[in-house]
Amino acid sequence: MELELRHLKTIRAIAEAGSLTRAATALGLAQPALSAQLRRIERALGGALFERGRYGVRATALGELVLERTRIVLPAVSELQREAARFARTRRDGGRLRLGGTHGPLLGALVDRLADAAPGTSVTTCASWSERELAGLLAEGRLDFALAGVCGSAPPPDTPHLVWEEIAVDPVFVMLADGHPLARGREIELAALADEEWACVPGDGCFADCFTAACARAGFTPRRMYETDTASCVHLVQVGRAVGLCRATFPPTPGLTTRPLAGTPLVWRHLLGWQPAGQRPDIAATVLAQAREAHAGAAARSDSYAHWLAQRRETPDAASGMVP
């Protein structure tokens, strides 16, 4: 006989009742039937589980071992059943979306907007520094949509069977400590930062090369680049150790000022990628629309970006190629 979940429930019921008679009543069985079932369970486990006495039953050492396991197994199985039921309901009601994204404000904003736009949908997230990694996860079917970005006119990750749609194009801004002498200006010439050390987040695209080329056009070579996580970049800028490169949608942060670079020498294209064969067109359209709204919201929360956009609207030629 193979041990089944119902057998573990029987063992626990006997232990909790303290006697076969009371356990049989609780289980809705006749006592002889319960006794016969217990003997079969004991044969399957290789020994007696209970010692019988005139005042009831007491677990043997083997019985204590089995009871200890039931305290783990039975709650785990119950939780599995509850999770499976919740998952099944979610799939019926609205399905699920597995979102990936590079580090930045858009992923969180998109999750927030989808909670309102598709309330019956379960959303999970995966963050990565690597656009190529996100493209690979899409191609393998481990993500449904991915927010990524590329520098300037660079192509998105070259992965078969994926489509990439543009969300927006942003200028790359510089972030400085509030007390930095250049923080008071409306925009900053890149050449004015020739003596600074720099901080930015990592990536596997061409941004580092594009930045170096922009600096060369401005007449200098960057002294040092600290490539690290967002929190460390912010700290290095706040304490005056470096100035940082950031997307124009970088959220307001105490101790920091973000400013546009004169002439917009660097731009960043936000993209949404997915597999058309694996997604319903209406779902893709909804996620893309919400991603664009998420970007618009992030742009509106940045005073420096809002001012930059307002200037571009007043001088349309200067806004060529930019999608706010």
Side-chain angles (χ1 to χ4, degrees):
M1 182 188 78
E2 290 188 0
L3 195 65
E4 300 176 13
L5 193 64
R6 62 188 179 91
H7 297 144
L8 297 181
K9 292 179 178 179
T10 296
I11 295 167
R12 186 178 66 178
I14 293 172
E16 290 175 349
S19 78
L20 289 177
T21 300
R22 289 192 293 271
T25 300
L27 294 169
L29 298 172
Q31 182 175 330
L34 179 59
S35 297
Q37 185 181 99
L38 177 59
R39 287 193 296 271
R40 290 195 296 272
I41 295 171
E42 289 175 329
R43 283 197 298 270
L45 291 174
L49 300 178
F50 297 98
E51 295 175 351
R52 297 158 178 80
R54 56 185 300 188
Y55 298 109
V57 297
R58 185 176 63 182
T60 64
L62 177 59
E64 290 289 356
L65 173 66
V66 174
L67 285 168
E68 183 64 29
R69 296 300 185 269
T70 66
R71 297 185 187 104
I72 299 171
V73 172
L74 292 177
V77 172
S78 297
E79 180 59 24
L80 172 61
Q81 290 172 327
R82 287 192 293 270
E83 288 185 4
R86 285 195 298 269
F87 182 82
R89 284 196 304 272
T90 299
R91 295 287 289 180
R92 287 195 304 270
D93 296 341
R96 63 171 180 166
L97 287 176
R98 298 163 300 171
L99 304 180
T102 49
H103 294 251
L106 290 191
L107 182 57
L110 177 57
V111 171
D112 180 44
R113 293 195 62 85
L114 287 172
D116 293 329
T121 301
S122 172
V123 178
T124 59
T125 59
C126 169
S128 172
W129 297 114
S130 169
E131 283 82 12
R132 286 198 290 269
E133 180 184 13
L134 292 172
L137 293 172
L138 283 175
E140 294 167 9
R142 296 164 61 188
L143 287 177
D144 297 308
F145 294 92
L147 291 166
V150 294
C151 181
S153 60
D158 185 17
T159 305
H161 313 302
L162 299 184
V163 62
W164 295 93
E165 287 286 344
E166 190 174 280
I167 297 169
V169 182
D170 287 337
V172 174
F173 277 15
V174 62
M175 56 182 178
L176 312 97
D178 283 344
H180 194 288
L182 296 176
R184 293 188 291 272
R186 288 193 172 181
E187 64 178 17
I188 299 173
E189 295 285 345
L190 184 56
L193 300 167
D195 294 331
E196 300 286 350
E197 296 183 354
W198 296 83
C200 75
V201 296
D204 53 11
C206 64
F207 183 78
D209 293 335
C210 293
F211 171 63
T212 301
C215 292
R217 290 192 296 271
F220 72 96
T221 299
R223 290 177 55 195
R224 178 181 293 177
M225 174 64 78
Y226 299 102
E227 192 175 75
T228 184
D229 62 277
T230 302
S232 296
C233 285
V234 168
H235 175 76
L236 290 171
V237 174
Q238 286 172 326
V239 299
R241 177 62 60 186
V243 297
L245 294 167
C246 65
R247 303 164 195 175
T249 52
F250 192 83
T253 303
L256 292 186
T257 296
T258 61
R259 289 291 180 263
L261 291 167
T264 315
L266 296 165
V267 297
W268 187 258
R269 293 169 59 219
H270 297 277
L271 304 172
L272 181 72
W274 69 92
Q275 278 201 63
Q279 294 297 332
R280 287 168 35 193
D282 60 321
I283 297 296
T286 295
V287 176
L288 179 59
Q290 294 303 319
R292 287 172 173 162
E293 290 293 332
H295 175 272
R301 287 189 291 273
S302 168
D303 290 341
S304 58
Y305 193 17
H307 179 74
W308 186 90
L309 289 171
Q311 284 188 316
R312 292 308 181 272
R313 293 188 187 101
E314 293 170 4
T315 55
D317 290 344
S320 177
M322 307 304 293
V323 181

